[in-house]
Amino acid sequence: MQELIENYRQQFAGLDLPVNQLAELRQQGLSRLGEMGFPTTRDENWRYTNIKPLLKQAFNVVTNPETTISNDQVMGFEIENLNSYKVIIVDGRLNTELSEQSLPAGLTLKNLAEVLEQDSERATTYINQLVPQATHGFMELNTAFIKNGVWVEVGENIEIAKPIELLFVSTGLENSLIQPRNVFIAAEQSQVKIIERYVSLSDQKSMTNTISEIYCAENTNVEHIRIQQESRATNHISGTFTKLAQDSHFSTSTITLGGNLTRNDLRCQISGTGAHSNMYGLYAANQRQHVDNFTQVEHQVANCTSDELYKGVLDDRARAVFHGRIYVAQDAQQTDAYQNNRTLLLSRDAEIDTKPQLEIYADDVKCSHGATIGQLNQEYLFYLRARGVEESKARRMLTFAFVKESLNAITIEPLKVYLEQQLDQQLLKGGHYGD
Amino acid sequence: MLSIKNLHATVEGKPILKGINLDVKAGEVHAIMGPNGSGKSTLANVLAGRDDYEVTAGSIEFMGEDLLEMEPEERAWAGIFLAFQYPVEIPGVSNIYLLKAGLNAIRKNQGLPELDAMDFLKLAKEKLKTVEMKEEFLYRSVNEGFSGGEKKRNEVYQMAVLEPKLAILDETDSGLDIDALKIVADGVNALRGQDRAFVVVTHYQRLLDYIVPDVVHVLANGKVIKTGDKTLALELEKQGYGWIDEQAA
């Protein structure tokens, strides 16, 4: 592994990154990576996800993407009837020409590199503030190369009516490593919906390693939907880190359909009273796909609520991992936290490892968690068949109905319709959908 | 239309039906009454093809076909409908979606053209009137959050849309208040006709005041022990099932 890290160190040394306040942060990332290395299955948090295939050789970190893409290529990813502020990010860098030109007052949207140059002090007050130190090597690798990504800022009292759709297009240069670094800031009393979508243009083996930090100030309402639709040759590692201030309402949906190996870390810090967090997830995997959702919600103060539901369908030899940790600090009385993970296995060879965890230090709380793994309900199946629905179709109807429940937190109707279509297509790629 | 001969069936190895004989002709309404545990619901479920029940002897012929050879959906295609005693709630599958899939599968197998979304919606809305249900009902998940009465009405509604040849009502009256009972009965009566038959399974005579049967069978200990006209139901109401238990024993 040292050889691999040395390779990344050399790539780092070869870069001409501006010397500013971030230089130190990058350096720290690099040295921590050197100290801790990449995770192995001996790490408790990576026990069921073996990333060895990603460590065989170093990927080429793309810091100065040169590839251009056409508007037609972007149009291929269009979501029907979705009226959004479209932002196109190509290999990690925001492409202003392809992106929405007229933005409403109160919305700032920039390539991260621009913010770093113009106001690095402000950038450093937000960047890497929500990412716990030494979480895992990939995060450090992202930090070491911080440069591109999207900076979204919504001003006080501003309500952004249309969703902001961030389309991260990977052109899929062979063996490339794309590392977007995003910061989303919702100032007091603002409302915004952000769609973070990852797609790829080629089937070359590549990797995406991305981090988003989301700041929800007091009285905000933030809806966040992250959609993984990359090619099956892409490995995807992500970190989403959120901090909720008083009376803020945050809802996030993590949808994983594409990719080869996907690992999503999600961490929600609830640090202001009266805040609420929704954490929803959907995974539909087949063939040899692997999806690992590692989630944590931290109730640091009293009178907050959180609701977590992850649902998945696994077919063929697909594997999934769910880790859900609810942490309730001693002062976080009157917490109401709910967590559930439900997985449907369509094939004998599919596998789910689920690990719900409660860590509660307060004594006046309502917390529950549960996990179910199973097959289709036979009573439902008989009912549909008795109404004339053919068995295989009835099985599909029930499978689809089961998993789509985790799209319920999404309030953007055209997006929901689109995701249902994509989900159906994804399920059809499996060998036992309807068996 | 339906001919059951010497039907024996077990549940988890336990014999429940012990030689049922029953003939139902098109246009007839047959009531099946009997005490709890007599095998009424088992008979209804065996007809619909539930696989928890094992037929160990006997035969069922429906419209000249061997019913026992058919899958549950094939029975629906042939024209059999079971109104469930305990309709399940199916989250995420809307009523309209289920019915459209069901009806079109039935039509396809009967050699009729499938209905498109527009035509289906028109039909679905029209049939809502027969059970006095609102349109929003169509878009809700099957039975999810429905009251007991709404679930039973939904069964009758589905029957009205699917227009079966033989409808089996499994204790559709249980748990209904008198108003709901009348709605359910009106829905059934509206469908009565020369080409259609009904098997009405019930514990109480009450339903038969509204759905007047042509033939009444009394089932006890897995056998039909008495057959008569509608007056038999009234007799049962007066005397209870005690005398039957003695006779069956």
Side-chain angles (χ1 to χ4, degrees), chain B residues 38-49:
Chain B
S38 59
K40 303 187 302 281
S41 280
T42 300
L43 177 61
N45 280 288
V46 166
L47 287 171

Side-chain angles (χ1 to χ4, degrees), chain A residues 278-296:
Chain A
N278 266 335
M279 299 153 78
Y280 276 49
L282 181 158
Y283 45 96
N286 47 52
Q287 294 165 22
R288 287 182 171 271
Q289 284 182 297
H290 182 109
V291 184
D292 181 348
N293 283 297
F294 187 93
T295 72
Q296 267 189 89

Side-chain angles (χ1 to χ4, degrees), chain A residues 238-251:
Chain A
S238 81
T240 304
F241 300 91
T242 313
K243 189 171 185 175
L244 279 69
Q246 195 180 324
D247 296 319
S248 59
H249 188 285
F250 174 70
S251 179

